[in-house]
Amino acid sequence: MKRKHCFLTGEKQVGKSYLLRKIFEENALPLRGYETRPLMIEGKKKGYYLHGLTEGWMPENDSPIVVRIRNERKIQIPETFDYLGANLLKAYSPEEVLLMDEIGAAEDKAYEFQRAVLDCLDRQRLVLGVLQKGGGRLVQAIERREDVCVYEITRENRGDMEGMLVNIVREIISYGG
């Protein structure tokens, strides 16, 4: 089976999300899919929320997925993934290129979302995403797929990886994915 989906992994803050946005930009692809963004309360990061990239898509867009309590404890909210995330992924046409930024351990109890992600990998033309290093069961399932390439991004290689990944995506798109 030909590999057609590309995921990036690596340590935190090495530029994985930035690199994915550059790949979309350089290939003139509309941003579709989702991002996880920091949940800021009173100027402090208190967790993360899920943001669907199709504006106006759902009133529940920008719902929390992880909330930090007293700096040491994190509460995961799988219902956000199962409702917002799964419905968002199901709404896209198979011809669209999707961004999944990012997938990690927080999704381990979001079973509907996990099914939606795997279904997207079965049907989408191309998925570009980020896999959290040391992520959970869903990350492992994605890494094992024959139609997925995983590239590790480091501070040392990220400059070289940009051009290579832009060209890989361009090739996948031009050959129909």
Side-chain angles (χ1 to χ4, degrees):
M1 172 181 279
K2 186 177 178 186
R3 295 180 188 259
K4 65 176 187 173
H5 304 299
C6 298
F7 285 85
L8 309 182
T9 193
E11 298 300 326
K12 293 180 181 184
Q13 302 297 309
V14 296
K16 300 176 298 288
S17 297
Y18 171 81
L19 186 52
L20 281 179
R21 280 191 168 260
K22 288 294 286 181
I23 293 167
F24 270 81
E25 182 182 305
E26 292 291 323
N27 284 294
L29 297 169
L31 275 175
R32 302 281 190 261
Y34 73 88
E35 294 176 318
T36 56
R37 295 181 175 177
L39 175 65
M40 304 298 286
I41 299 175
E42 296 178 2
K44 295 181 182 176
K45 186 164 71 170
K46 295 290 187 172
Y48 294 91
Y49 68 93
L50 189 68
H51 175 74
L53 293 170
T54 303
E55 293 299 327
W57 182 76
M58 288 182 76
E60 294 82 10
N61 200 11
D62 298 337
S63 293
I65 52 174
V66 175
V67 178
R68 188 177 315 244
I69 307 292
R70 286 177 274 142
N71 288 337
E72 73 276 353
R73 185 166 170 239
K74 295 178 186 174
I75 297 174
Q76 299 167 343
I77 307 170
E79 294 83 2
T80 298
F81 287 110
D82 280 343
Y83 181 69
L84 174 60
N87 286 319
L88 178 70
L89 293 178
K90 291 173 186 176
Y92 288 110
S93 156
E95 292 305 309
E96 293 182 270
V97 177
L98 294 188
L99 174 65
M100 294 183 185
D101 185 10
E102 76 184 85
I103 297 173
E107 296 88 331
D108 271 357
K109 292 184 178 171
Y111 304 112
E112 187 64 28
F113 180 75
Q114 290 178 33
R115 281 189 289 278
V117 167
L118 296 174
D119 182 53
C120 277
L121 293 175
D122 287 340
R123 69 179 167 86
Q124 288 305 127
R125 173 183 183 191
L126 171 63
V127 174
L128 302 171
V130 171
L131 299 176
Q132 210 175 62
K133 202 163 179 75
R137 288 185 298 273
L138 181 57
V139 169
Q140 294 167 6
I142 292 168
E143 289 174 331
R144 286 192 300 267
R145 289 178 63 106
E146 291 183 13
D147 59 348
V148 168
C149 286
V150 179
Y151 300 94
E152 182 152 2
I153 306 302
T154 65
R155 293 190 196 293
E156 295 76 30
N157 75 2
R158 68 181 168 200
D160 297 330
M161 295 297 287
E162 181 179 332
M164 183 188 88
L165 291 167
V166 165
N167 288 331
I168 287 170
V169 168
R170 191 168 289 146
E171 184 178 317
I172 292 170
I173 292 168
S174 65
Y175 290 110

